[in-house]
Amino acid sequence: MKPSIEPDALPSETVGTEPDRRRFLKAGLAVTGAALTGTDRAEPPPWMTRPGAPLSNYGLPSPHERAVIRWVAANADAPGNGISWTPLERLEGIVTPSGLHFERHHNGVPQIDPAVHRLAVHGLVGKALSFGIDDLLRYPMTSRLCFIECGGNSNAGWHQEPMQAPAGNIHGLASCSEWTGVPLATALAECGLQPDAKWLIAEGADAAAMNVSIPLDKALDDALLALYQNGERLRPENGYPLRLVLPGWEGVTNVKWLHRLQLADQPAMARNETAKYTELLPSGQARQFSFVMEAKSVITRPSAVQALPGPGLHPISGLAWSGRGAIRRVEVSTDGGKTWQDAALDSPVLPKCFTRFRLPWRWDGSPAVLKSRATDETGYVQPERQILVAERGRHGYFHYNAIVSWAVAADGSVSHVYA
């Protein structure tokens, strides 16, 4: 998508077109680059004077990147129950490394032997079947890039006071991967469906026997029996050896360690569709079966607890996504929402997938408030926080997708604000 920014805006405020980008890079190098001196070329660095490390069987991140890790919050009263957040503010592009994909476990990570793991499909089917992992690996597979977001992601936004933490520690229960596997519709076609089959009850093989009910239409549309993530077999914490992936739907429906699918004429009304993932609205009614994750965006650079080194040109960058389709537009404000400018969207821009947006910003050293606002292909526009709270009330916990505001102080420090 081409940003609608006048080139003349470069010297005073923000830039976004391709020629402007080149000018930004040129100006940025002039600001941050250091002149090459004779000392720079006098001695080679030590890693150029001796052989490097030997070959390895499986690569690991550089030891200099040890700080790029998931932030873990475990439940001390229930071992194995907890979450870990993806460090969004430390990553680039749209693909989350498998080892940094967020986690949510209800009773720990099972260590499953793929040689004995099976997927049972039963209930309102023509013929109940059981698939081994080797069976599934013989079916035609497909790949797609899509995000998975926990329904409870960003729920700190419901707090009365803004939480001061890195962007990933607030919004990092969302990650994006390339998932590869067998279309669920293919497996269901093998079994045949009875006419009154309307729901699919999916269950994981963990010690919590996590289960949720899924409308059959979604299962037949784009659901995937995922065997691979980012080119390698699933990691145990992400569902090895088999995970159900429902693009654009809340994380709990993407059942990990999948071992059973029951076709039924009504939902199971299990814990995760009655006691959890429901919310009391101001009208007195409760939201239930709120599967789709609405359009959302967050600026990851600069973001809370980071600091700008001083006035001058700075890149504003972040992520946007929508469970209803592709992101069509991301606007950025540097004055608390008084004015907005279109950000540039990195390719590819895919449906139900992370989209990276960017907008160079010339900061003059004055206090500023940064915001981003996503619009998806259905025309849905990410709401301001006060609008979301007015619609949903004060009992919210799930599906928080309001505009996020970061305040930049005169000293360059960045904090989370409600503005």
Side-chain angles (χ1 to χ4, degrees):
M1 178 179 178
K2 296 290 289 184
S4 57
I5 301 171
E6 293 298 328
D8 291 342
L10 170 66
S12 59
E13 186 58 32
T14 54
V15 290
T17 62
E18 287 305 314
D20 286 343
R21 282 188 162 199
R22 289 194 290 272
R23 294 170 63 188
F24 169 79
L25 288 172
K26 183 177 179 181
L29 289 172
V31 170
T32 60
L36 188 66
T37 67
T39 304
D40 293 326
R41 291 180 291 178
E43 297 291 339
W47 45 87
M48 294 183 68
T49 63
R50 56 179 181 266
L55 300 171
S56 61
N57 295 107
Y58 206 98
L60 295 172
S62 163
H64 300 284
E65 300 298 321
R66 284 177 178 148
V68 185
I69 56 176
R70 293 183 285 219
W71 181 47
V72 176
N75 185 343
D77 296 327
N81 186 304
I83 51 181
S84 66
W85 284 261
T86 294
L88 299 177
E89 76 284 357
R90 291 179 174 271
L91 302 178
E92 257 297 344
I94 60 173
V95 174
T96 307
S98 298
L100 294 177
H101 194 284
F102 85 87
E103 300 175 70
R104 171 72 177 107
H105 310 312
H106 295 79
N107 206 356
V109 179
Q111 297 300 314
I112 297 175
D113 181 353
V116 299
H117 186 77
R118 300 193 71 82
L119 171 65
V121 184
H122 65 105
L124 299 177
V125 296
K127 179 176 59 176
L129 292 176
S130 173
F131 299 88
I133 298 301
D134 285 343
D135 299 328
L136 293 172
L137 288 169
R138 296 174 63 185
Y139 280 86
M141 288 194 279
T142 187
S143 297
R144 71 170 295 165
L145 277 161
C146 66
F147 74 86
I148 294 178
E149 180 180 17
C150 176
N153 192 31
S154 312
N155 61 22
W158 297 110
H159 297 175
Q160 295 286 358
E161 299 296 328
M163 177 180 176
Q164 300 303 327
N169 293 17
I170 304 174
H171 308 286
L173 294 182
S175 307
C176 186
S177 295
E178 181 191 37
W179 303 96
T180 303
V182 181
L184 177 54
T186 301
L188 295 180
E190 288 277 76
C191 301
L193 299 175
Q194 296 184 16
D196 50 349
K198 304 297 181 188
W199 289 81
L200 189 70
I201 301 165
E203 184 176 272
D206 59 327
M210 265 290 301
N211 63 84
V212 296
S213 304
I214 298 158
L216 185 57
D217 288 347
K218 176 66 174 178
L220 296 175
D221 179 20
D222 58 0
L224 195 64
L225 298 172
L227 296 154
Y228 293 83
Q229 178 185 8
N230 296 330
E232 64 178 7
R233 295 296 292 274
L234 302 174
R235 300 283 177 97
E237 65 267 33
N238 286 319
Y240 181 86
L242 184 65
R243 178 175 197 166
L244 182 61
V245 170
L246 299 180
W249 281 26
E250 59 190 354
V252 71
T253 63
N254 295 253
V255 176
K256 296 184 284 191
W257 317 295
L258 184 68
H259 84 129
R260 190 171 71 86
L261 294 171
Q262 178 184 358
L263 279 296
D265 58 359
Q266 56 187 337
M269 305 305 286
R271 172 182 180 273
N272 287 314
E273 50 220 47
T274 53
K276 298 294 182 182
Y277 300 93
T278 61
E279 293 175 315
L280 184 63
L281 299 173
S283 65
Q285 294 186 317
R287 277 162 48 97
Q288 191 177 26
F289 298 119
S290 50
F291 299 117
V292 176
M293 303 308 294
E294 301 286 5
K296 187 171 182 176
S297 70
V298 59
I299 294 171
T300 55
R301 181 187 181 196
S303 57
V305 308
Q306 295 179 347
L308 299 181
L313 288 163
H314 295 280
I316 294 175
S317 176
L319 293 165
W321 61 94
S322 171
R324 296 194 184 279
I327 291 294
R328 282 290 174 258
R329 183 184 194 190
V330 178
E331 300 162 278
V332 171
S333 173
T334 59
D335 55 12
K338 295 176 184 174
T339 63
W340 296 86
Q341 303 232 17
D342 282 303
L345 306 183
D346 281 3
S347 295
V349 178
L350 302 172
K352 305 173 186 177
C353 183
F354 274 3
T355 295
R356 173 67 62 177
F357 64 89
R358 304 180 191 278
L359 183 70
W361 173 46
R362 187 186 295 277
W363 180 47
D364 64 6
S366 301
V369 174
L370 309 180
K371 298 183 174 201
S372 63
R373 181 170 65 189
T375 301
D376 68 19
E377 63 181 332
T378 71
Y380 178 90
V381 181
Q382 184 181 8
E384 288 281 3
R385 180 177 181 277
Q386 63 270 25
I387 294 175
L388 184 70
V389 172
E391 290 179 352
R392 303 269 296 279
R394 299 299 318 177
H395 300 290
Y397 186 86
F398 301 100
H399 290 259
Y400 183 92
N401 71 318
I403 290 172
V404 178
S405 301
W406 307 125
V408 181
D411 64 0
S413 60
V414 184
S415 61
H416 184 200
V417 295
Y418 294 153

